[in-house]
Structure formats: structure tokens, C-alpha cells
């Protein structure tokens, strides 16, 4: 068992939970007729008359029907109902009183009790219920307590109290827990069962306090430390409460039983400590039931409601608050026997005080006394509502069967009889649940406040917005007004100033006129000069004035017109000036544009020429390549040029093989050779190179050669050899000259224009074998001209040829060999014709050594030309000795024997055999030939 104060049953609320006591209301009257249940008899509205005697009650008085008041009454009359219960004989009594009859005889069906006075006489008492020693606990509960519990559930206060001598079964009746035997459960346990079964744990509540009253002190049985609880009486209503008591909410039966057990244990412990026993104290169980009956739905309604909901919900839910007080009184014997059984006087007095006071009160109530000494004791104060109050009260008086306690039993029966006369006015404790209403209204109020705040904010915002807008409009209007005012002011000021000016002008004119008139008048009328100005006739003056005014006006108009004219002219002038300037600017601009255009045109022309020259070159190269492929043959000079040109063209990217010759010719004709030749003198080196290449390509074509020479192409090419420092130009020009030099006429022209010396000079300076090859080719061609032999040799042609062998390139050597062969052929021809008798110039210029050296050159173009040259030289007898000394004889012999070409072999043989010098030498050398 839990210790006091720490007791918890899951719903324990400790001392803080105080039962809410409010005013009881007289409304909602409920009939109390249902309060009688299984009891066969009902409480009469009037208690049995005391006049019927103490000893004999009036059965008739008790036999009436229920005394429920009319339904319209605000309260219901409810007499205190009293049942008597007889305890069975206990073991001791069974033995000790074995020979004696019980002191009482019960007639339960008549609800009568006979108290034996002696063997023949007895007093009969009627009770509301007479419960024999065989009455079950269930029946006792149903008869005594159940109607009270039902009333409590309906909102009334109720009291169940046991009165009797110690050991007669008060505690048995009220407080048995029925742990071992369910059937033994007492009123407290059964009452709670019924209450819990009836209420809704969700909406209702039941809570309890458990107190002990001992020696006028109220102790808390649920809290040991709480040992002096005071009683509080509501002055207005007389409602009694014990605010200091622990109140525990009960949610289930078991926790209640535990609580009772805890309280009983505490009671036992407290009594042990006080060296007393439970019979000396009163135990009081308070059960507070709070049950909502009406408006339960409204109290549950959702709280998001609108105002209409609020109105509807402002009706508070109705709750009924019933209080059941179960009182297990101290033993009634204490009243009579106090002090006689070793109790202190003080104790006896105290115990007696509460019980005596109760008795006195009940007496007073039974007698309908004006004064009921309720305040005499704490017990009567606590039970104020139970007797003569608003509670439904049921009293069970317990008696024992033993005749030895007849006195006590009698006294108990008499107490019960008196109690039966006590009339209570039952009042329902129904009230509005303002707390829950208040809670609900608080929530709604909060919502409204919040909403109000929101609306207020929105309102203020709107006000602010409108105010701002209005202020803006006002300031705008003010600005507009100010502007307008200022404009008006300025306008009026201007008008005013103009008026003033006009007036001043008028005044001046008047003044002037006035002065003039005076003078005129003075001049015209000398006789009048003596007259004062005032005396001049005013009519004349006025007339004159008008005239002058008119004139002046006319003048002013004219002047104005003139001024306007001037202005017009001025503006016209400035306009024309502006347009002239614009025209000039335009002209300058156009001029510049024109210059740009010219410049652009020149540039484009140049580009076109360049492109065309490139085009020609490429076309030409293509054509030549094709031709070369067609007539491939060794020793042909043109192939050399072609090769060169193709090399040149390779330097430039492009597809030259597909060029159409016809289109090339066409373009050539369109541009004109003259133009191309003129480009040879261009300042632009690139242009020069391209031009010379084009000319060279053209010169490779026999058909063009004459035309090229005619328009001065040869001269230009020779000039290039002289003037240009560019090796490429030299190479290409030499190639072109070489091609042109194939023609006899051209050969003469070349010679005439100092071609040999130019070619010699070029050869001397050239490094590139191709340049040397071109130069050598050109000279070789010249070497083939019979008429030019002497001149060629004289101008160093042969030396130049021999000089070029230094480079060792086979192509160059082949051209040199060809030149020597050509020269030798011409000499041989001249000697045959008898025009030449001198030794060969070749031999004179020292060519023989090189000829002999290369006579068996592995390169066939060289070897063939040398073989031919040797044959030609050998044909002239004057050369024989030199040739023999130079070692040429051996070469001729070899040629005549080994040369692959038959014609050369034959020629060599014939030459050898026709020369006496060679033959003699061969013989001398014993060579069989
Ligand atoms: P009281 O509280 O009045 O002093 P108790 O309730 O303690 O008396 O009862 C005294 C004894 O009598 C207990 O042992 C109890 O069990 C027994 N007793 C009382 N009433 C009855 C009854 N109706 N039936 C059987 N035993 C009873
Ligand atoms: Mg007891």
C-alpha cells in the first residue's frame, strides 16, 4: 500500500483539486419519485407522529406512498429514511447467549422490530426497512443506499450513515471491500460501482475525499500530514466544504478500492498512534459527482463558429453536482459509557460531543424545534445538509442480538426512530457550467480579437493609403495652382510694363509734337511771336498733331515692313549660305569618294592583271606539260624550259594541268602582249616575276616567239638580265631567251643586243643550277648559228659555257655539252665548205680537256653531245694533233667501237679513218684499226 500523500491511482489530483462549489439553483426541478426503488414501502411525506409514542410506532403512519412533492415545486420533501440491521450472533454470543433469546424480534415483511422487554412484553417499532441477520450486503445496499446514490447522480446531495453500538456491523455494512468475497462488498464500494457505471468519464467526473473525525479534529485519511482540516461554510447558502481535504478523482473501481484500503490503513495507523481504535472515530467518505446533463452537445460544438454560433453557444452547459457523504460513526455506546471504560475524560467528551450534538440536532429536527444546534460539533456542521438540509439521507442503525446489550440496542433504535422524523428539503444541485462556457467564450473572444485586429490593421492601412493619395492630390493641385498663378502674374506684369511703355511713348510723342507746333506757329506767324504758347489756336495744333500722328503711323508701318523684308532676306541669306556650305561639303565628299574609287579601280586593275598573268602562266604550263608528255625526247631544249616552268608553277599552288588552252589564248588576246611586257618593268617585284614567267611560257610556244620579239619582248628580257638582282627573274628570263634563241633571226637579235655578254655575266653570278642550265641552254642555242661563231667566241660565249661546268649539275653539263656540240658542228660545216681553215676555237679556248674528260660521262645527254662534238672536231684535220695530244683519239676509238648509237659509231669510225693524222698515230701506236 502506498504511503500517504504519495498515493496515486492515475487520477490523483492531490490537495490542489478542490471541488468546485457553486450556488445551487432552484430551476430544473426534477421529480424525486424515482428515488424509491426496490423498497416496497415508501417514505411518507410526513414523519410518524411523535405522538404515536416512543414505544409504539404507528404502522399506518409509515405505510403511505411516496411523499414526493409536485413536479413544479422547487424542492422535494424527503424524510430521512432509516433502516435497522441486525447482526447475526457472533461466536461468542452463540456460546454465551445460547440459552437466551435475542433481545429483538424482526418482522421484515412488516418492517417492524420487536424489542423484548421481557418474556411476555415487547415494544414494536416500525422502520423504513428492517434487515435481518440474513440480509445480504447487496440487499442492504439496494434498500439503504441505492436510492441515495441515484439521487446524487441526479444532482442531489445524499447521505448514507451508519449508527450503532461498536461491533454491530457499521463498518461491515459500509466499508467492506469484498476482497475475498464479492458478495461481502459494502455500501461504499457498491455506490462507487453504480456511480462509475452511470457517468461518462469523458464528460463527467467523480472524485473523493476520505476523512476521519476524532476528538473534534478532522484528519485527512488520504494524506497523513493533513491532520487538521477546517470546515468552511458558505455564509449565504450554508454550503459546507472542507477545502483542505485531499480530493482524488476516481476513474475506475479498482483505484477507488485501493484508495479506501489506503484510507483504512491510515485510519488504523493513526488510531494506533493515538492509542485508540476506529470505533472511537467517525469516518467520512465524501464522493463528489459532477455530471453534465443538458447542453452537452453545445458544450462540444466546434469552436470555429461564427457570431451566430457564439449566440447559440453562449448558453452554458448544465452540470449537476451531487455529493454523497458516507458516514461510519463512532460507536454509539460512547454516549452512555464514556469514561466508564478507561477513556480519558477529554476523549469521552469529544467523542460524546459530536454524537450527542448529532442526537440533539436530530431531536430538534424531529421536534420541529426552531433551534437546531448544528454548530455544536464538527460532525453536525459537516452533516448539516444531511439532516434538515437538502440532502437525501438514509440511515442504517445496526444492532446486535445479544440481550446483554439491550440498553444500547434500545438507545440505537430510539435514535433511528427520531431520525425518521427528520424532514429534509431535497434540492437539486444543478448549475450552469460557466467555467466551460467561459473557456469556450474565451477562445471565441480571442478569435474575434484577432479578427478585429486584422480588420483594424486593414482599415488603418486603407486610411493611410487614402490620406497619402489625398495629400498627393492636394500638393499636385497646389503646384498647378501656383504655376497658374505665377503665369498670370507674369502676364499681368508684362501687360502692365507694356502699357507703361506705351504711355511713355505716347507722352514723348505728345511732348515732341507740342514743341514742334510751338516752333511752327512761331515761324509762320511772326506777328504772333509775342503771343504766349497758350494763345496758339488749339484747332490748328490738333489738326497738325493728327496729321503728324498719321504720318508717324505710316512711317512706323513702312519701317516695320522694311524690317520684316530685311529679316526675310537675312534668313534667306543664311539659308542659302547654309545650303552652299552643305553643297561644298557634298562636293568635297564626292571628290574624296571619286579619288577613293580611282584608287580602288587601280588596285583592282592591278589585281586583275596579276590574276590574269597567273592564269596565263598556269594555262601555259598546263599546255606545255601536255605537249611535253606528247613528245617526250632527250636533248630537246624545250623540255628543259617546260621542266623549269613546271617547277615554277609548282612553287605556286594550283591545278595547272586542266587549264584550257583556248581560254588561255583568249585571255592572252584580251589582255594583250604589250600589257604583259609592260608589267616586266613594274615596280612590284611579284608582278615582274609573274610577268616574266608568263612571257617565258609564251616564248616556249613557237607561234608566239616572233610576236614577242616584235613587240620588244626580247629586249625587255635582256634588260631584265641586266637590271634585275632577282635570281628567279634571271632564271626565268634566261629560259625565255633560250626559247627565243631557237629562232635564227632571234639569235642574231640577241647577239646584236649584247646578249652573250649579258648571259655570260648572269652565268658568272648565278648559283642556282637551273639558272645556269637556262643560261647554258641559251648560249648552246646561239652556238648552233654558223654566222655567229666568231662573235660568240669573241664575246666570251665559249668561256662562259666552260665556266658553268663548275656547278657539276648534269642538266647544266648537258647544256654545255650541247653548246659545244653545236659549236663544233658549225665549225666542221664551215671547214667542209672551205670557209674555215683555222684550228677550232673550242680547242683554242681550252674546251678539249673538258670534252675528253666527259666523253664517257655516264649521263647519256652529256655523253652523246660530247661524242658528237668529238666527231665534229675530228673531221677537221687541223684539230687532229691537238686532239691526239689531248687524249681525244682514244675517246674516238672507243666511240667508234662501243657507242650504243650506230650513227655515232659509224661517224666516229669514218672520221678516224678519213684523217691521215689519226691513222698514222694509230699505226704508230700499233693499234689495229
Ligand atoms: P462496528 O463497525 O459497528 O464496530 P463491525 O462492522 O466491525 O462493527 O462488526 C463487528 C464484527 O461483526 C465483525 O467481525 C463483523 O464481521 C461482524 N459482523 C457485523 N455485521 C455482520 C453481519 N451482518 N453478518 C456477519 N457478520 C457481521
Ligand atoms: Mg466499525
Amino acid at each position: 500500500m502506498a504511503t500517504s500523500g504519495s498515493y496515486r491511482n492515475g487520477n490523483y489530483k492531490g490537495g490542489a483539486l478542490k471541488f468546485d462549489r457553486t450556488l445551487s439553483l432552484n430551476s430544473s426541478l426534477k421529480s424525486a419519485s424515482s428515488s424509491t426503488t426496490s423498497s416496497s414501502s415508501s417514505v411518507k411525506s410526513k414523519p410518524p407522529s411523535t405522538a404515536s409514542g416512543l414505544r409504539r410506532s404507528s404502522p399506518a403512519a409509515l405505510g403511505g406512498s411516496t411523499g414526493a412533492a409536485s413536479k413544479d415545486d422547487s424542492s422535494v420533501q424527503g424524510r430521512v429514511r432509516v433502516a435497522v440491521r441486525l447482526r447475526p450472533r457472533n461466536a461468542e454470543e452463540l456460546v454465551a447467549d445460547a440459552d437466551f433469546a435475542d433481545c429483538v424480534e424482526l418482522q421484515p415483511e412488516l418492517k417492524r422490530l420487536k424489542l423484548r422487554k421481557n418474556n411476555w412484553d415487547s415494544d414494536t417499532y416500525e422502520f423504513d426497512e428492517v434487515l435481518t441477520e440474513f440480509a445480504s450486503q447487496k440487499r442492504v445496499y439496494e434498500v439503504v443506499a441505492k436510492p441515495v446514490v441515484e439521487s446524487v447522480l441526479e444532482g442531489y446531495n445524499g447521505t448514507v450513515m451508519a449508527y450503532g453500538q461498536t461491533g454491530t456491523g457499521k463498518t461491515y455494512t459500509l466499508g467492506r471491500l469484498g476482497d475475498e468475497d464479492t458478495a461481502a462488498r459494502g455500501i461504499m464500494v457498491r455506490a462507487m460501482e453504480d456511480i462509475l457505471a452511470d457517468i461518462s468519464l469523458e464528460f463527467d467526473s467523480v472524485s473523493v475525499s476520505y476523512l476521519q473525525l476524532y476528538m473534534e479534529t478532522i484528519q485527512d485519511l488520504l494524506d497523513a500530514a493533513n491532520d487538521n482540516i477546517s470546515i468552511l461554510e458558505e455564509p449565504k447558502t450554508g454550503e459546507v466544504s472542507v477545502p483542505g481535504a485531499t480530493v482524488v478523482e476516481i476513474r475506475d473501481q479498482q483505484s477507488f478500492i485501493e484508495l479506501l484500503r489506503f484510507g483504512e490503513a491510515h485510519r488504523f495507523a493513526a488510531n494506533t498512534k493515538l492509542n485508540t481504535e476506529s470505533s472511537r472515530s467517525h469516518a467520512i467518505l465524501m464522493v463528489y459527482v459532477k455530471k453534465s446533463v443538458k447542453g452537452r452537445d453545445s458544450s462540444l460544438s466546434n469552436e470555429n463558429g461564427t457570431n451566430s454560433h457564439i449566440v447559440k453557444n453562449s448558453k452554458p452547459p448544465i452540470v449537476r453536482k451531487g455529493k454523497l457523504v458516507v458516514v461510519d460513526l463512532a460507536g454509539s455506546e460512547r454516549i452512555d459509557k464514556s469514561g466508564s471504560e478507561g477513556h480519558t475524560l477529554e476523549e469521552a467528551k469529544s467523542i460524546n460531543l459530536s454524537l450527542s450534538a448529532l442526537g440533539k440536532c436530530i431531536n430538534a429536527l424531529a421536534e420541529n424545534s426552531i433551534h437546531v444546534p448544528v454548530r455544536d460539533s464538527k460532525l453536525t456542521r459537516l452533516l448539516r445538509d444531511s439532516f434538515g438540509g437538502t440532502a437525501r439521507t438514509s440511515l442504517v442503525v445496526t444492532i446486535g442480538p445479544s440481550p446483554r446489550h439491550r440498553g444500547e440496542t434500545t438507545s440505537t433504535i430510539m435514535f433511528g426512530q427520531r431520525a425518521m422524523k427528520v424532514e429534509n428539503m431535497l434540492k437539486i444541485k444543478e448549475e450552469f457550467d460557466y467555467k466551460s462556457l467561459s473557456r469556450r467564450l474565451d477562445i471565441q473572444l480571442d478569435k474575434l480579437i484577432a479578427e478585429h485586429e486584422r480588420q483594424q490593421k486593414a482599415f488603418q492601412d486603407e486610411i493611410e493609403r487614402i490620406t497619402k493619395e489625398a495629400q498627393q492630390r492636394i500638393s499636385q493641385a497646389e503646384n498647378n495652382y501656383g504655376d497658374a498663378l505665377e503665369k498670370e502674374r507674369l502676364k499681368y506684369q508684362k501687360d502692365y510694363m507694356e502699357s507703361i511703355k506705351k504711355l511713355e511713348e505716347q507722352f514723348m510723342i505728345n511732348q515732341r509734337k507740342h514743341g514742334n507746333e510751338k516752333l511752327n506757329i512761331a515761324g509762320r506767324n511772326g506777328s504772333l511771336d509775342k503771343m504766349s504758347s497758350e494763345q496758339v489756336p488749339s484747332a490748328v495744333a490738333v489738326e497738325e498733331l493728327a496729321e503728324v500722328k498719321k504720318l508717324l503711323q505710316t512711317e512706323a508701318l513702312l519701317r516695320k515692313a522694311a524690317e520684316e523684308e530685311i529679316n526675310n532676306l537675312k534668313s534667306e541669306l543664311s539659308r542659302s549660305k547654309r545650303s552652299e556650305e552643305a553643297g561644298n561639303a557634298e562636293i568635297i565628299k564626292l571628290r574624296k569618294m571619286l579619288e577613293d574609287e580611282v584608287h580602288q579601280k587601280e588596285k583592282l586593275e592591278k589585281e586583275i592583271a596579276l590574276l590574269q598573268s597567273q592564269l596565263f602562266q598556269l594555262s601555259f604550263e598546263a599546255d606545255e606539260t601536255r605537249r611535253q608528255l606528247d613528245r617526250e625526247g632527250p636533248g630537246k631544249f624545250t623540255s628543259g624550259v617546260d621542266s623549269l616552268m613546271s617547277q615554277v608553277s609548282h612553287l605556286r599552288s594550283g591545278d595547272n594541268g586542266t587549264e584550257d588552252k583556248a581560254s588561255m589564248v583568249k585571255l592572252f588576246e584580251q589582255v594583250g602582249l604589250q600589257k604583259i611586257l609592260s608589267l616586266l618593268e613594274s615596280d612590284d617585284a611579284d608582278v615582274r616575276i609573274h610577268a616574266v614567267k608568263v612571257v617565258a611560257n609564251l616564248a616556249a610556244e613557237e607561234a608566239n616567239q616572233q610576236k614577242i620579239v616584235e613587240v620588244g619582248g626580247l629586249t625587255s628580257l635582256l634588260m631584265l638580265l641586266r637590271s634585275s638582282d632577282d635570281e628567279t627573274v634571271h632564271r626565268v628570263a634566261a629560259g625565255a631567251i633560250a626559247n627565243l634563241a631557237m629562232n635564227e633571226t632571234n639569235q642574231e637579235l640577241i647577239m646584236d643586243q649584247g646578249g652573250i655578254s649579258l648571259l655570260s655575266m648572269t652565268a658568272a653570278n648565278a648559283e642556282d643550277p637551273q639558272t645556269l642550265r637556262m643560261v647554258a641552254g641559251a648560249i648552246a642555242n646561239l652556238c648552233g648559228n654558223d654566222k655567229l661563231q666568231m662573235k660568240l667566241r669573241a664575246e666570251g660565249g665559249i668561256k662562259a659555257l666552260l665556266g658553268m661546268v663548275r656547278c657539276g649539275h648534269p642538266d647544266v653539263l648537258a647544256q654545255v655539252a650541247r653548246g659545244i656540240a653545236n659549236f663544233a658542228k658549225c665549225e666542221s660545216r664551215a671547214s667542209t665548205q672551205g670557209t674555215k681553215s683555222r684550228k677550232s676555237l673550242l680547242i683554242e679556248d681550252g674546251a678539249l680537256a673538258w670534252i675528253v674528260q666527259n666523253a664517257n660521262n655516264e649521263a647519256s645527254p652529256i655523253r652523246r653531245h660530247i661524242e658528237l662534238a668529238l666527231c665534229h672536231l675530228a673531221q677537221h684535220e687541223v684539230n687532229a694533233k691537238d686532239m691526239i695530244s689531248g687524249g681525244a683519239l682514244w675517246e674516238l676509238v672507243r666511240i667508234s667501237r662501243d657507242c650504243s648509237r650506230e650513227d655515232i659509231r659509224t661517224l666516229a669510225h669514218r672520221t678516224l679513218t678519213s684523217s691521215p693524222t689519226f691513222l698514222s698515230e694509230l699505226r704508230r701506236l700499233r693499234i689495229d684499226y
Side-chain angles (χ1 to χ4, degrees), residues 85-90 132-135 137 163-174 176 278-279 328-329 331 333 398-399:
R85 185 181 197 187
L86 175 67
R87 173 177 56 74
R89 283 190 182 200
N90 57 28
T132 69
E133 65 268 46
F134 308 110
Q137 289 280 74
Y163 182 91
Q165 191 187 354
T166 298
T168 53
K170 296 185 296 294
T171 305
Y172 184 87
T173 300
L174 297 175
R176 280 292 284 263
S278 64
S279 63
D328 188 354
L329 290 169
E333 74 282 1
T398 55
I399 53 173

Side-chain angles (χ1 to χ4, degrees), residues 187 387 429 466 567 638 802:
I187 282 170
F387 295 93
K429 309 289 180 187
I466 290 167
N567 282 338
T638 45
L802 293 172

Side-chain angles (χ1 to χ4, degrees), residues 280 345 651 834 882 885:
R280 297 186 194 178
L345 185 64
L651 295 171
D882 286 298
S885 63

Side-chain angles (χ1 to χ4, degrees), residues 710-721:
E710 271 173 18
V711 297
L714 181 59
T715 311
S716 297
L717 289 167
L718 288 168
M719 254 173 58
L720 277 178
L721 288 185

Side-chain angles (χ1 to χ4, degrees), residues 500-510 512:
I500 293 284
K501 210 172 159 190
K502 268 185 198 159
L503 284 171
E504 275 175 355
E505 276 172 10
Q506 195 64 45
F507 178 72
M508 290 295 285
I509 290 163
N510 286 348
R512 234 179 289 144

Side-chain angles (χ1 to χ4, degrees), residues 839-868:
K839 193 168 73 176
S840 167
L841 297 174
L842 288 169
I843 293 171
E844 282 187 3
D845 277 357
L848 192 60
W850 185 78
I851 290 168
V852 172
Q853 246 173 45
N854 291 281
N856 199 21
N857 196 299
E858 55 190 10
S860 66
I862 301 167
R863 195 170 65 243
R864 297 266 171 271
H865 285 121
I866 299 287
E867 283 167 351
L868 281 173

